[in-house]
Amino acid sequence: MRTVLLMAACLLAGQGLEAEGPPPPPVEAAGVIPSLRPDSPEALDYAAGVAAYFRVPRRQVLRLQAQGVPVEELPVVCYLAGLARTRPSLVARLRLGGASWMSITRRFGLGPGVFYWAPAAAALEGPYVGIYGRFRGTPRRDWRRLAFSDLDIINCVNLRFVAERRHCRPVEVMRGRAAGRPFGLIWR
């Protein structure tokens, strides 16, 4: 899907297929996760934070990024790998192979409930209103039936990561996302 979107964007811009630069951020029907350039100081700082928080060697996180995992998806790779007790490289390989975050979650026997974070449910803003509204509107015993988009999962995991790692209130991260800021800038 990324390739098709990139080709369409290049053709519309009149640049042909020779356009260079980082791959486009993941696109969902609900919107786009604003991303940082992979080689920017903010992206490198964010990757270092991911490595420290998830206790994954920094060079491994940078390798995942070099292989094509977008900066804002690094926390999702490491989070699911930790819960599944597997290597982040395996999770990244599935994702880069085209699997959705929801299918990867289910492949490892996990359910959508792993993306629910109680401290975040207290005050909701931005994209989190809809995400947590679905949790609230579904009995906990039925959460396994819920399905979330890649965008929803990226938002949930990064919310928890940024708030816990930076010791800030979840609503501060939510406000940054509601304003369209990339997680790597909310992080700073």
Side-chain angles (χ1 to χ4, degrees), residues 149-168:
S149 70
D150 290 340
L151 183 67
D152 291 340
I153 291 170
I154 293 165
N155 274 317
C156 286
V157 173
N158 277 279
L159 167 66
R160 185 174 190 164
F161 162 63
V162 171
E164 287 189 343
R165 180 73 180 150
R166 286 299 192 196
H167 307 289
C168 66

Side-chain angles (χ1 to χ4, degrees), residues 46-146:
Y46 200 67
V50 169
Y53 180 80
F54 291 102
R55 296 187 176 129
V56 175
R58 184 175 182 191
R59 71 178 175 280
Q60 186 177 7
V61 172
L62 293 174
R63 191 174 323 122
L64 294 171
Q65 188 179 356
Q67 292 169 351
V69 176
V71 174
E72 64 280 353
E73 296 191 30
L74 292 170
V76 185
V77 168
C78 294
Y79 179 66
L80 289 177
L83 291 176
R85 297 184 180 173
T86 191
R87 297 179 323 277
S89 60
L90 175 59
V91 175
R93 191 173 326 121
L94 291 169
R95 179 65 176 156
L96 293 171
S100 71
W101 284 121
M102 198 74 250
S103 68
I104 294 169
T105 301
R106 289 200 163 107
R107 179 182 178 126
F108 288 113
L110 303 168
V114 301
F115 303 114
Y116 180 84
W117 186 42
L124 300 171
E125 293 197 24
Y128 302 96
V129 173
I131 298 167
Y132 278 86
R134 293 180 61 205
F135 280 119
R136 286 180 177 164
T138 306
R140 189 177 286 265
R141 68 181 178 277
D142 295 332
W143 280 5
R144 276 201 159 292
R145 295 183 188 155
L146 292 173

